[in-house]
Amino acid sequence: TPELVTPLVVPVETPGDLISNELPMGERFASTLLELRTLVEAGRFDEAQALLDNMDRTLYGYGQPEFGELDKRVQLRDSSVQSLPSVDQANLDQQAESEALAKQAQIAEQAELAKEAELAKEAELAKQAERAEQQQKELELQANLKKQAELAKQAELAKQAELAKQAELAKQAELAKQAELAKQAELAKQAELAKQAELAKQAELAKQAELAKQAELAQIAENARIVENIRIAENARIAENARIAENARIAENARIAENARIAENARIAENARIAENARIAKEAEDARIAKQNESRERARLQAQADADAARLAQDRRRDELRRQAQQARQAEQDRIAQLTLRSDRQQAEDAAAEDGLIIKPNVPAAVSDADLQTVYIKFNQLSDAIESRNISTVTSLTQGSSAARVQQLLQLFQNSQTISSRVTKLAARRSDGSIIGTLEITSARKADGSTVRVPATLRSIKLSSLRSNSGWSVIDW
C-alpha cells in the first residue's frame, strides 16, 4: 500500500484578489464587472460565485445595481445575456470618475454636516460606527471562514488528486510487474518451444541415421544374396559341365572305337599316299598344338583372375584340366578322323578333278566390320554397367563370373562414388573366329574426390566372344 503523504496546502487566490486594490475605483469596477459578466455568460457559476463572495464590500457597494443583477443570475444559474447590463469602457470610466467625485463631495459635505451636528449625536454616531465596525469584522470573519473552507476544499481535492496519483502509480507498477511476469512466461514458453524443436530435430536426425543404416544393411544383404546366387550358379555350371563331360566321354569312347575301325580301314587305303598323309598329319598336329597352347593361355588368365577365391579357382582349374584332357582326346580323335576324311576327300578331289570341280577346305567364317561393331557394343555395355555399379547387368552380360571377381567388384562399388573404364585392343582372332578385347578400369574415386585403389585383377581384364548359330555369345572374361 503506497505511503500516504500529507498534501501541502497552498493559498489559492480568488478572482477578486487578482484585481489590485491600488487601481482607481472606476477601473476596478469596470474590470470586475467585465470579468463577472464573462463568467456568467460562459456558465461558470461557481467561479462567478467565488468572485462575488471575495469581492471587496466597498467595490460591491460602488457597483451594487450591476453586481446585484449578476448575483441574481448566478443564484438562478441563468447564463442569458439579454438582460445583462452592457459596459462601455470609456463611459464606465467617466461615470465612475464622476460618481467618485460626487461621492467625495458628498462625503465632504457629510463631514461638514457631522461637524456641525449636535454633540448629543456624537455618542450615537460612535455607537453606529462601532456597530458598523463590528458588522465589518463579522463580514470579514465570514469571508475569511469561507476562504478557509475553499482552501480546505482545494486542499482536500489536492490530497485526493495526490492519492489518485499514488494509486495510479501503484496500478502502473502492478501492471508493469504483471507485464514483466508475462514477458518472463513468454520467454520461458519460447525456450520450451525451442527445446522441443531441438529435440524433434535430433529425433529426425536419429531417424534418418537409422534409415540410412537400415538401407546400408539392406544393400549389404542384397550384395551377399547376389554373391550367393553367383556361387550357386557357378556350382551348378560346374556340375553341368561335369555331366556334359561325362556324357561326352561315353559318346567319345564309342566314337573312338568307331573311328579306330575307320582309321584302320583308312590306314590300309592311305598306304598309297603316305607322303600326302604325313603332310596332312603334320598340319593337324600343328593345329592341335596351337589349340592346346591357346587353351593353356586361357586357363592361365582364368586362374589369375580367380586368385582371390582359391576354392572356386581350384574347381575351375580342375574343370579346365578335364576340359583340356577332353580337348586333347577330341583333337586326337579329330586327327584320326581327319586322316580318314582326308583319304575320302582326296578320293573325292580326284574324282572332282576328273569332272573339273574344286572343293575348298573348311575354314572359320571371316569377321566383318559389322561383327566387330556388334561385339564392341556388347563390350561397352559391360563397361557402362561397371561405371554405373550395376552388378546384375554385369553378371547377365558375362559367363564364368567367379564369386571372387564379383566380390571384388561389389567391394569396389561400395568404396567408391565414381568409376571410369574403357574397352581397348579390339581385334578378331583368326584361329577360332572369335573377337577379343581388353576392359581397363582406369580410376575410382570417393565422394570427396580422393582416389580408391583398383585391385590388380580388375585393372585389365581380357574379353572374348565366339560366334554361334544364334549370334555372338555372352562375354567370356
Side-chain angles (χ1 to χ4, degrees):
T1 303
E3 183 179 356
L4 297 178
V5 179
T6 303
L8 179 63
V9 178
V10 179
V12 180
E13 293 182 347
T14 60
D17 295 332
L18 298 176
I19 302 174
S20 175
N21 293 328
E22 297 177 0
L23 293 175
M25 182 62 70
E27 292 183 13
R28 290 172 60 194
F29 166 73
S31 176
T32 304
L33 181 62
L34 179 61
E35 181 180 5
L36 183 60
R37 188 188 68 172
T38 302
L39 293 175
V40 172
E41 290 177 354
R44 296 159 62 183
F45 299 111
D46 292 336
E47 296 180 22
Q49 184 65 49
L51 180 60
L52 289 169
D53 294 339
N54 294 282
M55 187 181 298
D56 182 63
R57 297 295 95 188
T58 304
L59 179 61
Y60 185 90
Y62 180 81
Q64 195 277 333
E66 294 82 5
F67 291 143
E69 181 65 20
L70 289 173
D71 192 6
K72 293 178 181 178
R73 297 293 181 185
V74 170
Q75 300 301 324
L76 297 174
R77 294 296 192 261
D78 184 7
S79 61
S80 175
V81 299
Q82 283 75 5
S83 61
L84 295 177
S86 60
V87 179
D88 188 339
Q89 187 64 41
N91 293 333
L92 289 174
D93 292 340
Q94 184 177 0
Q95 182 182 357
E97 187 66 27
S98 299
E99 291 179 356
L101 293 175
K103 285 182 179 290
Q104 291 175 0
Q106 184 180 1
I107 292 172
E109 183 180 356
Q110 289 177 356
E112 186 66 21
L113 292 174
K115 289 179 181 179
E116 294 176 358
E118 296 177 358
L119 294 176
K121 295 182 179 179
E122 288 182 0
E124 183 66 24
L125 291 174
K127 186 177 180 180
Q128 291 178 356
E130 184 179 357
R131 286 198 301 270
E133 184 179 358
Q134 184 65 30
Q135 187 178 18
Q136 182 66 29
K137 287 182 180 181
E138 289 179 356
L139 292 174
E140 290 178 357
L141 179 60
Q142 290 178 359
N144 287 334
L145 292 175
K146 191 172 184 179
K147 184 176 182 180
Q148 289 178 2
E150 183 66 23
L151 291 176
K153 181 180 179 181
Q154 292 178 359
E156 181 64 23
L157 291 175
K159 180 179 179 181
Q160 291 178 359
E162 181 65 23
L163 292 176
K165 181 179 179 181
Q166 292 177 359
E168 181 66 22
L169 291 175
K171 181 179 179 181
Q172 292 178 359
E174 181 64 23
L175 292 176
K177 181 178 179 182
Q178 292 178 357
E180 181 64 22
L181 292 176
K183 181 180 179 181
Q184 293 178 359
E186 181 65 22
L187 292 176
K189 182 179 179 181
Q190 292 177 359
E192 181 64 23
L193 291 176
K195 181 179 179 181
Q196 292 178 358
E198 181 65 22
L199 292 175
K201 181 179 179 182
Q202 292 178 359
E204 181 64 22
L205 292 176
K207 181 180 179 181
Q208 292 178 359
E210 180 64 22
L211 291 176
K213 181 178 179 182
Q214 291 178 0
E216 183 179 1
L217 292 175
Q219 183 64 36
I220 293 172
E222 178 65 16
N223 294 340
R225 186 187 65 80
I226 293 173
V227 171
E228 180 63 19
N229 290 339
I230 293 173
R231 185 186 66 78
I232 293 172
E234 181 69 13
N235 291 338
R237 188 185 64 81
I238 292 172
E240 180 64 19
N241 290 339
R243 186 185 64 79
I244 294 172
E246 181 62 22
N247 293 337
R249 184 185 64 78
I250 295 171
E252 284 301 320
N253 288 336
R255 197 168 66 86
I256 287 170
E258 181 66 20
N259 289 338
R261 185 183 63 80
I262 295 172
E264 182 62 22
N265 294 333
R267 185 183 62 77
I268 296 172
E270 286 292 324
N271 286 334
R273 302 177 65 97
I274 190 167
E276 180 65 14
N277 289 339
R279 184 182 63 80
I280 293 172
K282 186 177 182 303
E283 290 178 357
E285 184 66 14
D286 291 341
R288 185 183 64 81
I289 293 172
K291 192 171 184 179
Q292 287 180 348
N293 290 338
E294 182 183 348
S295 298
R296 292 191 188 95
E297 180 63 16
R298 288 173 63 86
R300 186 185 66 80
L301 292 175
Q302 187 66 30
Q304 180 181 358
D306 296 339
D308 295 333
R311 181 176 59 80
L312 293 177
Q314 186 177 4
D315 293 340
R316 292 179 63 85
R317 282 196 300 271
R318 285 199 299 267
D319 184 69
E320 184 65 19
L321 290 174
R322 286 195 299 269
R323 188 175 64 85
Q324 290 179 6
Q326 183 65 30
Q327 287 179 350
R329 289 194 302 272
Q330 182 65 41
E332 182 63 25
Q333 293 169 4
D334 290 343
R335 186 183 67 81
I336 296 171
Q338 193 171 16
L339 290 175
T340 303
L341 293 174
R342 289 289 183 182
S343 177
D344 297 338
R345 188 171 61 184
Q346 186 61 47
Q347 293 176 4
E349 287 177 356
D350 292 341
E354 293 178 356
D355 297 335
L357 299 175
I358 298 176
I359 299 176
K360 294 183 179 180
N362 184 20
V363 296
V367 176
S368 65
D369 291 340
D371 295 330
L372 287 172
Q373 183 66 22
T374 299
V375 177
Y376 182 67
I377 291 173
K378 192 174 294 187
F379 288 174
N380 271 330
Q381 287 176 349
L382 177 60
S383 175
D384 293 341
I386 290 176
E387 288 186 348
S388 62
R389 301 184 296 177
N390 190 337
I391 194 63
S392 298
T393 304
V394 170
T395 55
S396 65
L397 289 173
T398 59
Q399 67 178 0
S401 299
S402 65
R405 175 167 292 171
V406 172
Q407 186 63 40
Q408 282 183 324
L409 285 174
L410 289 174
Q411 188 67 34
L412 181 62
F413 293 168
Q414 186 176 0
N415 293 339
S416 62
Q417 182 69 23
T418 59
I419 299 175
S420 299
S421 63
R422 63 182 180 180
V423 176
T424 62
K425 302 177 183 178
L426 187 70
R429 192 158 50 192
R430 288 185 177 182
S431 60
D432 57 358
S434 64
I435 297 177
I436 60 174
T438 302
L439 174 64
E440 297 179 355
I441 299 180
T442 57
S443 66
R445 296 184 181 277
K446 296 181 179 180
D448 59 2
S450 59
T451 303
V452 178
R453 188 184 69 83
V454 180
T457 54
L458 297 180
R459 292 176 192 166
S460 179
I461 305 173
K462 299 295 183 181
L463 308 178
S464 66
S465 180
L466 288 170
R467 190 199 304 269
S468 64
N469 293 333
S470 60
W472 290 96
S473 67
V474 295
I475 302 170
D476 187 15
W477 64 341

